[in-house]
Amino acid sequence: ILEKTVGPEHPKLAPILNNLAYLHLLLDDYDIALDMYKRCLLLTEKHYGREHPHVAQVLNNMAGLLITRGMHDLSLQSFERSGAIWENAVGPMHPQVAESLINQTAMQVLLGQHEKAFALAHRAQDIDTHFINTIFGALDEHSQTAFLAKLGWHMEYFFDLALKYHNTSQSR
């Protein structure tokens, strides 16, 4: 209905396409989901420019679909582009950059690039540590606990990766 009202290239369609793509991903309609993510990406880039955080979010979402499809190289490229956009938009020490680095880490592990993965995870941990040190003094105890709970999966992933890296380098 909205598309008929505003036209097929209106930027208000992008978030709807993004959500519909995710729905199709959940329904295992991967080809439809990918087409919707691609269309969403084109609309978002056209409206906001190629370096906008909204573009980064669409790339991130599309990369998740590409993982499901076994397209790990393309997924890594999407995660890397998304991360570069985030870094340019919010700076190199922002938690969003750390999250992007963790996504790239996962892809590097899937691709067997453990040294690259370890370096990315280490950088993500440095960003998270910097962020904690920067804001912890200003947060109440409840907010600190909530933040640490969210951060926990990053650190667990980092330590799992560190152990794998250590075991791999020991066997060489």
Side-chain angles (χ1 to χ4, degrees), residues 3 13-14 17 30 34 39 43-44 47 53-54 72 74 76 83 100 103 113 124 131 138-139 142 146 160 166-167 170:
E3 187 172 2
L13 290 175
L17 288 168
Y30 301 125
L34 186 56
R39 186 168 169 219
L43 285 174
T44 305
H47 182 71
H54 290 325
H72 298 146
L74 290 175
L76 177 60
S100 179
N103 290 337
Q113 300 294 323
F131 186 70
L139 293 179
H142 173 74
D160 284 348
H166 177 71
N167 291 339
Q170 297 252 339

Side-chain angles (χ1 to χ4, degrees), residues 31-45:
D31 292 335
I32 295 170
L34 186 56
D35 288 343
M36 288 188 169
Y37 277 134
K38 287 178 179 179
R39 186 168 169 219
C40 177
L41 181 61
L42 289 173
L43 285 174
T44 305
E45 287 177 332

Side-chain angles (χ1 to χ4, degrees), residues 6-170:
V6 298
E9 294 192 16
H10 197 281
K12 285 186 177 181
L13 290 175
I16 294 169
L17 288 168
N18 192 49
N19 292 337
L20 286 172
Y22 182 67
L23 175 64
H24 282 282
L25 170 64
L26 295 176
L27 296 172
D28 298 334
D29 294 331
Y30 301 125
D31 292 335
I32 295 170
L34 186 56
D35 288 343
M36 288 188 169
Y37 277 134
K38 287 178 179 179
R39 186 168 169 219
C40 177
L41 181 61
L42 289 173
L43 285 174
T44 305
E45 287 177 332
K46 183 176 181 178
H47 182 71
Y48 294 104
R50 292 181 48 83
E51 299 299 317
H52 193 276
H54 290 325
V55 172
Q57 190 59 54
V58 175
L59 286 165
N60 187 70
N61 295 345
M62 190 165 60
L65 169 64
L66 293 169
I67 292 170
T68 304
R69 300 294 303 203
M71 301 174 178
H72 298 146
D73 289 328
L74 290 175
S75 180
L76 177 60
Q77 290 172 15
S78 291
F79 280 138
E80 288 174 339
R81 182 170 168 221
S82 175
I85 292 169
W86 279 116
E87 192 162 343
N88 287 333
V90 297
M93 297 304 286
H94 192 278
Q96 188 63 49
V97 174
E99 187 170 324
S100 179
L101 290 168
I102 291 298
N103 290 337
Q104 293 173 51
T105 298
M107 293 313 308
Q108 293 291 2
V109 168
L110 284 174
L111 294 169
Q113 300 294 323
H114 298 288
E115 289 184 30
K116 288 180 183 178
F118 185 76
L120 290 166
H122 185 71
R123 182 168 172 231
Q125 183 191 25
D126 287 347
I127 294 168
D128 286 339
T129 300
H130 171 78
F131 186 70
I132 289 170
N133 291 338
T134 301
I135 66 164
F136 240 44
L139 293 179
D140 60 64
E141 187 175 336
H142 173 74
S143 298
Q144 290 175 1
T145 305
F147 178 76
L148 287 174
K150 182 180 185 297
L151 183 63
W153 75 271
H154 283 276
M155 295 179 77
E156 179 182 333
Y157 190 82
F158 176 78
F159 290 124
D160 284 348
L161 184 63
L163 183 60
K164 286 178 188 173
Y165 177 78
H166 177 71
N167 291 339
T168 303
S169 35
Q170 297 252 339

